[in-house]
Amino acid sequence: MADNRIRIGIFGGSGYGGSELLRILLGHPNAEVAFVTANEQAGKAVGDVHRNLYGLTDLRFSSPPNNLVGLKDIDCTFLALPHGQAMEIAPRLPANVKVIDLSGDFRLRDKDEFEQHYGREHTAMEAQSEFVYGLTETNREAIKNARLISNPGCFATATILGLAPLVANNLINGRVVVDAKTGSSGSGAKAAANTHHPQRMNSFYAYKPFTHQQVPEIEQELRTVGHWTDELVFMTHSLPVARGIFASIYVEARDELSAEELKRVFSAYYRDSVFVRLVEGSPDINWVKTTNFCDIGWATRGKQLVIFSALDNLVKGAAGQAVQNMNLMFGLCEKTGLGLIGTNP
């Protein structure tokens, strides 16, 4: 890593995740984007495809390099590709290159669970065993020493951050119900029948009931946080907004907990986590849009708790968290390049 600048390659830069990676990394004081790939946009200027970046970079999209073994002058690669593609690339990259995968290819440690929830064969389970799960706030020390990172899903990030303090302190007794909602950008940049704006702007509906691919990811990681054996009911809904995830998490506690006691539990657990903000009452996705913050609030009634978790699905739920993990992997301050302030309104 020459001159303290991390030479970066981005695979898959034309989608929303790639766009956000570029937005963050172009302003990162220790990063230098060496190349960014895109199949359909190869040859085009980044600023012509992502108009918010117009005039900010001379980068052009390129086709993916054929000789992955030859990328030894790259320090870090981000794989911002559709599910199924990273498993073809990651095992072929040089051993000196750090990898952060934003897809679901390496999140699940169980091959059968992956194939059931993602509907495809996993062809790189040997490589999967070397990947570290990249939820920074619960896995910080392992991330610091990792070469391969599997970035969490956006729903998983919101849900695990909302539940981790309760699981770690063994406060849950019984079923947990998660009612989670997401904006349309979570479906990617290409329009589809159920994500097309005229269809979605005045609509509200549930999707993938009981079958969302991030359910096993959430349960897998909660078992690493503490004693997790409770039933998880997880429902996802489409919000008529472009960005943001909001999760309402309903929990029955072992004992009665006041709002003040719950605040002490969350404050202690996240005392070293600059990107988790604890708010009074309910957070709002408007407060976290375009930032790397996850805002968490709560309400209590005896043993009944509800935890509210809000984040930007493209930043803390994807690209921002990926850069947060990169910072740790290269010994930088966790918040380097991520001083992203939201807007009002």
Side-chain angles (χ1 to χ4, degrees):
M1 192 170 70
D3 302 323
N4 292 323
R5 291 181 73 78
I6 305 165
R7 282 183 54 80
I8 291 166
I10 299 174
F11 286 81
S14 61
Y16 291 142
S19 172
E20 288 294 88
L21 273 174
L22 285 162
R23 179 173 74 92
I24 295 167
L25 290 170
L26 288 175
H28 193 294
N30 300 92
E32 176 189 346
V33 180
F35 70 83
V36 53
T37 77
N39 286 325
E40 294 178 11
Q41 309 290 358
K44 294 183 181 178
V46 164
D48 287 339
V49 175
H50 300 310
R51 299 295 291 181
N52 60 314
L53 304 179
Y54 186 80
L56 301 180
T57 176
D58 294 327
L59 279 169
R60 287 184 173 272
F61 289 111
S62 61
S63 298
N66 293 321
N67 181 21
L68 297 179
V69 178
L71 295 178
K72 294 179 179 177
D73 61 336
I74 299 297
D75 300 306
C76 184
T77 58
F78 291 89
L79 307 182
L81 298 162
H83 302 312
Q85 294 186 20
M87 70 177 80
E88 304 298 325
I89 293 174
R92 296 161 51 205
L93 289 167
N96 66 297
V97 177
K98 297 182 189 292
V99 179
I100 302 172
D101 176 31
L102 279 75
S103 79
D105 282 13
F106 295 102
R107 292 174 189 160
L108 297 180
R109 291 187 280 276
D110 185 290
K111 186 175 189 288
D112 292 337
E113 277 198 329
F114 174 87
E115 293 178 355
Q116 175 189 342
H117 284 86
Y118 285 89
R120 67 182 74 242
E121 181 185 1
H122 202 297
T123 58
M125 285 306 293
E126 185 176 336
Q128 196 286 330
S129 64
E130 300 177 40
F131 273 80
V132 169
Y133 189 70
L135 185 58
T136 323
E137 286 73 18
T138 62
N139 218 13
R140 188 174 279 110
E141 293 308 311
I143 291 166
K144 287 179 181 178
N145 299 308
R147 184 180 81 84
L148 306 173
I149 292 290
S150 178
N151 221 53
C154 47
F155 278 125
T157 298
T159 302
I160 299 169
L161 290 178
L163 283 170
L166 305 179
V167 173
N169 288 281
N170 198 25
L171 298 176
I172 298 175
N173 180 35
R175 177 186 298 150
V176 171
V177 177
V178 180
D179 179 351
K181 303 168 179 69
T182 185
S184 57
S185 58
S187 299
K190 286 191 174 181
N194 63 333
T195 60
H196 192 44
H197 189 65
Q199 170 69 24
R200 194 156 178 164
M201 65 179 291
N202 293 312
S203 181
F204 187 84
Y205 54 88
Y207 67 100
K208 295 185 179 178
F210 295 116
T211 62
H212 198 281
Q213 67 271 16
Q214 291 181 33
V215 172
E217 175 186 345
I218 292 166
E219 295 187 306
Q220 170 185 280
E221 294 313 310
L222 287 175
R223 287 192 290 269
T224 72
V225 169
H227 183 65
W228 171 261
T229 57
D230 300 291
E231 180 186 358
L232 177 67
V233 178
F234 188 80
M235 292 291 158
T236 51
H237 305 78
S238 161
L239 270 180
V241 300
R243 302 170 81 117
I245 280 182
F246 191 100
S248 299
I249 305 168
Y250 302 95
V251 177
E252 182 167 316
R254 294 186 180 279
D255 302 296
E256 291 193 6
L257 283 169
S258 68
E260 193 57 39
E261 288 170 323
L262 204 54
K263 181 178 182 179
R264 284 197 289 271
V265 169
F266 275 80
S267 296
Y269 192 85
Y270 290 123
R271 62 185 177 272
D272 297 321
S273 297
V274 66
F275 291 116
V276 174
R277 301 190 300 193
L278 306 181
V279 304
E280 295 292 329
S282 173
D284 188 317
I285 55 174
N286 277 325
W287 304 342
V288 293
K289 279 193 301 188
T290 74
T291 81
N292 199 51
F293 291 113
C294 176
D295 285 1
I296 296 176
W298 52 81
T300 68
R301 185 177 68 181
K303 292 183 179 180
Q304 294 179 328
L305 317 176
V306 58
I307 312 300
F308 305 112
S309 178
L311 54 78
D312 186 319
N313 53 294
L314 296 177
V315 188
K316 183 56 177 167
Q321 184 153 242
V323 174
Q324 190 179 351
N325 287 327
M326 181 198 77
N327 287 338
L328 286 176
M329 295 165 80
F330 285 91
L332 301 174
C333 174
E334 195 172 309
K335 58 186 181 181
T336 305
L338 289 168
L340 308 169
I341 299 172
T343 59
N344 182 28

